[in-house]
Amino acid sequence: MTGRILSHAELIELIDLLGASRRLIGPVRRGDHYFYEPVAGAARLALDAPQCVYSPKSFLFPPEETLLTFEKESGRFVAQPVLHDAPIALIAVRPCDIHGIRLLDHVFAAPPGDAHYEARRRQTFILGMDCAEPCRAEAFCADMSANTAHLGFDLMVARLAEKLEARATYAIEAGSETGENVLAEFGRGRAPGAVDEAARAERAARKRQAFPKRLRCDVDELPMALQRGFASKTWAQTAQRCYSCGSCNLVCPTCYCFNIRDDISLDGNCGSRVREWDGCQLRDFALVAGGHNFRSDPAQRLRHRVMRKGRWIQDRTGLPGCVGCGRCDGACTAKISIREMFNALAEEAGHDGD
Ligand code: SF4
Ligand code: SF4
């Protein structure tokens, strides 16, 4: 086993060291829920928070951001890009959300590249927190191979002793050169010994048992099952319940669609170009100039989302379009479950193939 073993107090110190040169962002408890928020110090963080309502995506790809400002000078408009590149540290990011960020990295790096996302991402340190058990009943992250992350973080922490937090020990490993440098600079903790090896092996065995299979098909079979179900009645039947509210898009760590608008001063001499999140379940998402809507029917929109999450994004990027976090199931007041849609379509495809 590589890396170091830290006590709870040492982990807090390490996070505060990160916070000395970066804005700290991590899980904070609000009533019964947790949210990623900026904090002044590690003591404010709920490090064992099961899952935050939103993923930390919004700190890399904000719901609304100014991309550039423009002003008329000598009869011509001159534009000034707006880049946000203050260093941040995202703390206690769960494996599913790390997989989500890996997808965003891929999408926003596609030529010509998104300078705004990349400026933020270059200055982002990610400290991951491995999960020993599912965070919620709706999660099917293990089915999507997203309950563990081997890439996409600077440091990864796994809690070894699952007892009182203050007496817990943590195994910490670097996933990048930056992470290695931070660990070396910190210099605390101890090298893992035989007891830690045993604790780690026991934890891994428990983790393998703790995540039940919630998809009734193999994830590799899902893209073909969805394709075969493209004309299925399931879309229309399920969409009867859909309010087209877009809550499922809002909470999803892998949704990255956006709109661009120009806000212009009344005299027309200056303004700003603003990017804001969009959602494929909203009625006007596919509305184009001239008034035609390519997906005016909720069933078309539902199919679009489920096909993208289960097939099209994977085809295009080689990365999963859904990390199985279960947030959309939890957010949907109509109780529409993407996991159950995957299951229904896989079962239909199985019957068709009989
Ligand atoms: S959250 Fe549910 S009701 Fe709202 S758009 Fe998504 S599927 Fe439809
Ligand atoms: S589609 Fe739902 S379960 Fe999949 S990543 Fe998005 S919010 Fe999570």
Side-chain angles (χ1 to χ4, degrees):
M1 183 164 118
T2 55
R4 308 287 293 169
I5 300 295
L6 303 185
S7 66
H8 184 76
E10 286 166 337
L11 179 59
I12 295 289
E13 274 179 57
L14 171 66
I15 295 170
D16 279 332
L17 174 71
L18 291 170
S21 51
R22 303 165 181 86
R23 191 162 64 120
L24 284 182
I25 293 157
V28 171
R29 186 171 188 149
R30 300 257 165 232
D32 292 339
H33 299 287
Y34 296 87
F35 295 86
Y36 285 104
E37 289 182 9
V39 292
R44 179 79 184 86
L45 294 171
L47 290 176
D48 57 354
Q51 185 187 69
C52 291
V53 172
Y54 302 102
S55 79
K57 174 179 84 173
S58 59
F59 293 95
L60 298 169
F61 168 44
E64 182 171 298
E65 69 178 315
T66 300
L67 301 180
L68 56 88
T69 57
F70 51 89
E71 198 163 1
K72 208 183 235 175
E73 284 176 18
S74 311
R76 299 186 58 199
F77 278 107
V78 178
Q80 232 11 289
V82 178
L83 296 174
H84 301 267
D85 56 2
I88 60 170
L90 299 177
I91 305 298
V93 183
R94 296 293 181 174
C96 58
D97 287 337
I98 291 175
H99 284 272
I101 292 171
R102 285 192 66 219
L103 176 68
L104 300 186
D105 289 350
H106 185 94
V107 168
F108 286 116
D114 188 296
H116 305 274
Y117 179 89
E118 287 175 345
R120 281 195 175 86
R121 186 67 181 90
R122 266 195 301 277
Q123 295 283 22
T124 301
F125 188 99
I126 296 180
L127 184 143
M129 180 68 74
D130 189 51
C131 299
E133 57 196 29
C135 57
R136 59 191 301 162
E138 298 94 342
F140 56 107
C141 47
D143 299 84
M144 305 309 280
S145 305
N147 65 336
T148 301
H150 300 291
L151 293 168
F153 54 84
D154 296 291
L155 290 173
M156 176 61 78
V157 174
R159 187 165 157 179
L160 292 183
E162 305 291 329
K163 45 187 176 184
L164 275 181
E165 189 177 60
R167 292 209 303 246
T169 55
Y170 299 84
I172 183 160
E173 289 192 359
S176 71
E177 202 181 323
T178 313
E180 275 172 22
N181 292 341
V182 165
L183 268 191
E185 184 194 345
F186 182 55
R188 303 282 306 277
R190 57 181 167 79
V195 174
D196 306 307
E197 298 282 5
R200 178 117 137 179
E202 190 263 334
R203 183 185 187 278
R206 248 187 312 119
K207 175 166 177 163
R208 277 193 294 278
Q209 300 296 321
F211 285 83
K213 189 165 168 50
R214 289 179 170 145
L215 270 192
R216 295 195 289 279
C217 68
D218 193 284
V219 68
D220 296 335
E221 296 162 10
L222 191 57
M224 186 49 69
L226 293 179
Q227 198 57 36
R228 288 174 75 170
F230 194 78
S232 168
K233 291 191 178 75
T234 299
W235 308 113
Q237 282 165 358
T238 311
Q240 281 174 3
R241 309 203 305 272
C242 178
Y243 299 117
S244 301
C245 64
S247 300
C248 46
N249 295 132
L250 199 63
V251 295
C252 180
T254 65
C255 276
Y256 54 82
C257 291
F258 57 81
N259 249 331
I260 301 273
R261 65 163 206 271
D262 283 351
D263 292 341
I264 303 174
S265 64
L266 274 182
D267 61 10
N269 284 331
C270 62
S272 54
R273 179 156 297 172
V274 176
R275 163 156 72 186
E276 60 192 5
W277 288 359
D278 203 348
C280 61
Q281 299 309 281
L282 301 175
R283 194 172 46 98
D284 291 347
F285 180 78
L287 180 68
V288 294
H292 182 69
N293 192 333
F294 286 96
R295 286 188 289 274
S296 56
D297 184 341
Q300 295 170 316
R301 296 197 289 277
L302 183 64
R303 179 173 65 187
H304 179 80
R305 180 169 79 91
V306 176
M307 292 294 291
R308 269 180 72 78
K309 299 297 179 189
R311 176 174 178 134
W312 292 336
I313 289 179
Q314 172 101 37
D315 283 354
R316 197 168 134 206
T317 66
L319 296 167
C322 169
V323 296
C325 68
R327 285 187 177 97
C328 57
D329 283 25
C332 180
T333 45
K335 301 269 179 270
I336 294 174
S337 159
I338 196 163
R339 184 192 66 245
E340 286 313 315
M341 295 227 55
F342 286 160
N343 281 333
L345 288 151
E347 278 164 10
E348 278 178 32
H351 294 146
D352 289 351
D354 289 343

